[in-house]
Amino acid sequence: KQEVTQIPAALSVPEGENLVLNCSFTDSAIYNLQWFRQDPGKGLTSLLLIQSSQREQTSGRLNASLDKSSGRSTLYIAASQPGDSATYLCATEGSNYQLIWGAGTKLIIKP
Amino acid sequence: NAGVTQTPKFQVLKTGQSMTLQCAQDMNHNSMYWYRQDPGMGLRLIYYSASEGTTDKGEVPNGYNVSRLNKREFSLRLESAAPSQTSVYFCASTLDSTDTQYFGPGTRLTVL
């Protein structure tokens, strides 16, 4: 059974720093891995989707990588801003088309 | 496009009461999902509908029923609410398995 873990559960960094969020998964047989952002009291917004055949995806200041062999993905945020403060969740999609979710990393960017 | 809409936004129930959470999407998506989110945990899939006319159980289906009314609408029913069903419920939809999921704003449900 797939398990998805995100460590740390919370992270606080000064504005302007580059940072990396981690996501690990136990079963490498995935179709894709997705990163989402959740703001307090809101729904989730998709940030990046990496297909299993891809190694990375980029969108603006965000870069997500995927290493299936080691069961790891990272989300790199460049030049962080206070508006990046949110909870970031990763999820893997398997053969049954269901997403298995990590518990998220709560990110706080201090001005 | 409104995207994915959910009603109500908040609800308080007493143990044993029933209610239906409504979800609709206007993106012509084929698949729709119901999740619950509890503190410190990832989202857990309750039920999903891969296409109009089909529904399947997810990870935590007990205590819930669903109806895919048409391509746009997917409702979640709690027949006899229990305190363990206190949670935030999210509806999502996707065009197909290669696409990401789009989420509604959530329903915060408290069962006393």
Side-chain angles (χ1 to χ4, degrees), chain B residues 13 16-21 36 46 62-66 75-82 84-86 89 109 111:
Chain B
L13 294 177
Q17 288 185 318
S18 62
M19 78 161 296
T20 300
L21 281 64
R36 61 178 288 173
I46 305 171
N62 291 345
Y64 305 95
N65 285 298
V66 291
S75 63
L76 178 72
R77 182 161 178 83
L78 286 71
E79 291 291 352
S80 178
S84 61
Q85 294 178 303
T86 293
Y89 291 84
L109 175 66
V111 183

Side-chain angles (χ1 to χ4, degrees), chain A residues 1 31-32 34 36 38 41-47 49 51 89 93 96-104, chain B residues 33 35 37 40-45 48 57-59 90 96-106 108:
Chain A
K1 179 184 173 184
Y31 277 6
N32 62 55
Q34 304 183 37
F36 290 81
Q38 184 176 27
K42 301 283 182 63
L44 285 73
T45 302
S46 177
L47 296 174
L49 185 155
Q51 299 290 354
L89 298 99
E93 182 171 355
N96 59 3
Y97 306 117
Q98 296 182 28
L99 291 179
I100 305 298
W101 296 79
Chain B
Y33 307 81
Y35 293 96
Q37 185 178 35
M41 301 180 69
L43 278 72
R44 292 183 292 170
L45 183 65
Y48 67 102
K57 295 178 181 179
E59 181 184 357
F90 288 102
D96 57 39
S97 61
T98 65
D99 191 20
T100 189
Q101 293 186 13
Y102 296 83
F103 282 78
R108 187 173 295 274

Side-chain angles (χ1 to χ4, degrees), chain A residues 9-110:
Chain A
L11 180 64
S12 179
V13 302
E15 179 179 4
E17 283 199 2
N18 304 324
L19 61 98
V20 174
L21 304 180
N22 297 299
C23 174
S24 61
F25 48 95
T26 55
D27 186 353
S28 62
I30 61 172
Y31 277 6
N32 62 55
L33 186 140
Q34 304 183 37
W35 283 93
F36 290 81
R37 168 185 173 136
Q38 184 176 27
D39 294 284
K42 301 283 182 63
L44 285 73
T45 302
S46 177
L47 296 174
L48 291 164
L49 185 155
I50 312 176
Q51 299 290 354
S52 62
S53 59
Q54 299 174 320
R55 294 301 299 267
E56 64 178 349
Q57 281 285 344
T58 298
S59 176
R61 294 182 294 108
L62 305 180
N63 176 277
S65 68
L66 175 63
D67 184 343
K68 287 201 310 178
S69 62
S70 66
R72 300 176 71 174
S73 175
T74 61
L75 179 67
Y76 174 83
I77 302 177
S80 59
Q81 304 170 358
D84 295 329
S85 297
T87 297
Y88 291 80
L89 298 99
C90 67
T92 63
E93 182 171 355
S95 59
N96 59 3
Y97 306 117
Q98 296 182 28
L99 291 179
I100 305 298
W101 296 79
T105 294
K106 184 177 182 179
L107 177 64
I108 297 173
I109 307 297
K110 298 175 289 186

